[in-house]
Amino acid sequence: MKKLYHRIKDPLGLHARPAAKLAELARSYACRITIHSEDRSAVATRIVDVIELGIRHGEQICIIVNGEQEETACQALIDFCQKYL
């Protein structure tokens, strides 16, 4: 299991467009990816659940990756966060 932490830099927060891209990315790996913000969490492959977290600009999220491809998925998620969030 790996944990990644990221502070949201996008002024709009984690909205529909990056949530859709995140879900697509999460589905491409053989591991479970969950996003945690404060006391809420969502499976990253479920766009609506990610959007419903209501993650805003400046919030810190924790992404937990668990499974066969976690090393590769972690690097892809780091790149994704730096580019889109």
Side-chain angles (χ1 to χ4, degrees):
M1 180 174 74
K2 300 276 186 187
K3 290 184 180 182
L4 309 169
Y5 295 91
H6 181 76
R7 188 158 307 277
I8 304 297
K9 295 178 186 94
D10 187 322
L12 300 175
L14 182 48
H15 55 92
R17 192 169 294 126
K21 290 180 181 185
L22 176 62
E24 183 180 344
L25 177 67
R27 283 191 296 270
S28 68
Y29 293 99
C31 53
R32 181 176 172 85
I33 301 171
T34 55
I35 300 174
H36 302 264
S37 177
E38 298 175 7
D39 61 343
R40 304 160 296 169
S41 66
V43 176
T45 57
R46 303 169 97 177
I47 299 167
V48 174
D49 291 351
V50 172
I51 293 169
E52 287 180 347
L53 289 174
I55 298 170
R56 298 179 184 185
H57 175 263
E59 283 188 50
Q60 180 168 307
I61 59 171
C62 175
I63 302 173
I64 298 177
V65 183
N66 192 9
E68 292 177 30
Q69 296 180 307
E70 66 186 33
E71 293 290 334
T72 309
C74 281
Q75 188 55 54
L77 287 162
I78 289 168
D79 295 342
F80 175 86
C81 287
Q82 290 174 347
K83 185 173 183 179
Y84 295 106
L85 301 179

